[in-house]
Amino acid sequence: MIAALKGRKLATQAGLFNALAAELTQGKKPSFDFAVVDEAQDIGIAHLRFFAALGANRPNALFFAGDLGQRIFQQPFSWKSLGVDVRGRSRNLRVNYRTSHQIRTQADRLLGPEVTDVDGNTECRRDTISVFNGPPPAIRVAASEAEETKAVADWLSARAGEGVQAHEFGVFVRSPAQLVRAEAAVKASGFAFKVLDEHVATATGHVSIGTMHLAKGLEFRAVAVMACDDEILPLQDRIETVGDDADLQEVYDTERHLLYVACTRARDHLLITAVEPASEFLDDLTEPKSV
């Protein structure tokens, strides 16, 4: 495959960043004085090699902002081994301006009070605060998909009666296979909707429907997270492909992070639904995890 790409004068994204890193390392003068990197929890090995070369071991040349609890795209790896050591030089932000106290508190139960990376950096979530309150999240486990559809449609209609506009709703599911369930619920509520694609462009007057991966970076007044069934979350297909306990734990961790990301897209209202049997993660949402 690599040979075929070279023959066509193409490169993978990782190959591109590795090549840039090598070029920067050979340079005599840094290309930039400083670099600011957001969503740092989702950068990969090749990306970090590039940033390490860009920083060129200069003090304070690199600034990273991220949330370990929202790592959904990358396998964990050691930053220190690649020349970026943030141990003792990082701090946790404590104030949440986007999500109500009730939603944040319940979503944090998916992650536990602390999240730690490969290099031992720990994010403590115990003393995080939100600057506003709202109604508690609702969790509904239905006996059938038809019952789930009605429950979500009724919830959307009720929130609309409280002043939430169509484009202020987001409805998310684990993977494309469950999009039809989200579409059925929104249709039953009478709203127009738009299924998000990789461009993640919302539309005025339309409810946004998408997968949990596409929820990243978005914000809505009200969010419904649907189809949180057993074998859908965590996704059974991923579990069946793992070869050892460490890989299995990584699957469970990233699946939890996915649900956390979807839930924390909600500012004021959150509904989580499933069809029996429900995902084991819903138990963690209703009961604090033991440490």
Side-chain angles (χ1 to χ4, degrees), residues 11-44:
T12 63
Q13 186 183 87
L16 173 63
F17 277 97
N18 283 329
L20 287 171
E23 188 70 22
L24 287 170
T25 301
Q26 296 173 5
K28 295 181 179 180
K29 183 179 180 182
S31 301
F32 300 96
D33 293 329
F34 306 100
V36 179
V37 184
D38 196 12
E39 303 289 355
Q41 75 280 347
D42 283 325
I43 64 175

Side-chain angles (χ1 to χ4, degrees), residues 108-145:
D108 277 353
R109 293 174 182 171
L110 289 165
L111 308 179
E114 293 183 349
V115 182
T116 303
D117 69 9
V118 173
D119 293 322
N121 297 294
T122 298
E123 289 183 1
C124 178
R125 313 180 88 86
R126 290 187 183 91
D127 52 356
T128 302
I129 62 171
S130 296
V131 297
F132 63 94
N133 288 303
I139 299 176
R140 303 280 186 268
V141 179
S144 66
E145 290 188 18

Side-chain angles (χ1 to χ4, degrees), residues 35 86 89 112 121 124 144 187 200 216 218 247 258 283-284:
V86 299
R89 304 197 65 201
N121 297 294
C124 178
S144 66
K187 285 179 182 176
V200 199
K216 187 73 179 296
L218 300 179
D247 290 338
L258 266 175
D283 292 335
D284 295 326

Side-chain angles (χ1 to χ4, degrees), residues 57-74:
N57 293 315
R58 292 172 292 131
N60 300 318
L62 303 175
F63 179 91
F64 296 94
D67 179 356
L68 290 177
Q70 297 191 50
R71 181 178 57 78
I72 59 176
F73 293 112
Q74 295 294 336

